[in-house]
Amino acid sequence: DTEVTQTPKHLVMGMTNKKSLKCEQHMGHRAMYWYKQKAKKPPELMFVYSYEKLSINESVPSRFSPECPNSSLLNLHLHALQPEDSALYLCASSVRQNQPQHFGDGTRLSIL
Amino acid sequence: KQEVTQIPAALSVPEGENLVLNCSFTDSAIYNLQWFRQDPGKGLTSLLLIQSSQREQTSGRLNASLDKSSGRSTLYIAASQPGDSATYLCAPWEYGNKLVFGAGTILRVKS
């Protein structure tokens, strides 16, 4: 069982909907990450938070809005997504930004 | 821009075989290198982390080596088992802890 918990496991939404993905860890890690993984492709980094502050934004479109309200929780707010945004969204955490990352099982997102 | 290539793209072997998965990367200025496995529809499980000052790491039946100067890493799996069937991903760390993933090797071990 993974120690990084992502909810929901599956999400289907229309292009006009607003939804959020949630990621939690209780390992005391202070760095958290969002990745996007398209089918049969490797994960691609989207955002990095270090000590609850946004550290890296890989030029992600503004329809994806990350939020780190505390050291255990990372959200990804979604609005006006496109069909090409359908993917597996993975969350990861690490003790600090230069330590090994632990991944959750992901949220599989489908945009209608 | 770092580019990571993994060979072979897919591999099917009978149970018990020893096998080698290859990873090459274009920018040798990496911090560390990590190998992961991913089961279908699941997240990533870290297998081995090789720090930049190390040449190899071992865990059970797994051994990974790193040659930064030539931009290569290999993952050796001894006595393969059906439970080893998964996609194996190589990920060099760029400075700032940015992982850059290869496309992976899909491994199937037949019983």
Side-chain angles (χ1 to χ4, degrees), chain B residues 27 29 37 42 48 50 65 69 83 100-101 109:
Chain B
D27 186 351
R37 72 174 275 170
K42 296 290 189 179
L48 290 164
I50 311 174
S65 65
S69 60
V100 181
F101 289 88
V109 181

Side-chain angles (χ1 to χ4, degrees), chain B residues 1-3 17 19 21-22 24-25 31-32 37 41-42 44 47 56 62 73 76 80 88 90 93 100 102 111:
Chain B
K1 178 184 173 185
Q2 178 77 273
E3 293 184 3
E17 275 205 7
L19 46 97
L21 309 183
N22 296 292
S24 62
F25 44 94
Y31 189 50
N32 297 317
R37 72 174 275 170
K42 296 290 189 179
L44 279 65
L47 297 174
E56 65 179 281
L62 305 179
S73 178
Y76 176 81
S80 57
Y88 289 80
C90 161
W93 290 25
V100 181
S111 56

Side-chain angles (χ1 to χ4, degrees), chain A residues 33 37 42 58 97-99 104, chain B residues 38 43 49 93 96-98 102:
Chain A
Y33 312 77
Q37 186 177 24
E58 290 289 298
Q97 201 169 329
N98 63 348
Q99 297 295 309
Chain B
Q38 186 172 29
L49 168 70
W93 290 25
N97 198 28
K98 178 181 173 182

Side-chain angles (χ1 to χ4, degrees), chain A residues 34-72:
Chain A
W34 280 115
Y35 289 84
K36 174 181 178 179
Q37 186 177 24
K38 300 281 285 183
K40 300 189 186 301
K41 297 289 188 182
E44 295 180 341
L45 182 66
M46 300 175 71
F47 303 103
V48 180
Y49 273 83
S50 179
Y51 291 87
E52 295 90 70
K53 293 192 187 321
L54 185 62
S55 172
I56 296 176
N57 178 341
E58 290 289 298
S59 302
V60 179
S62 60
R63 58 186 184 268
F64 295 92
S65 176
E67 178 196 22
C68 189
N70 59 60
S71 60
S72 300

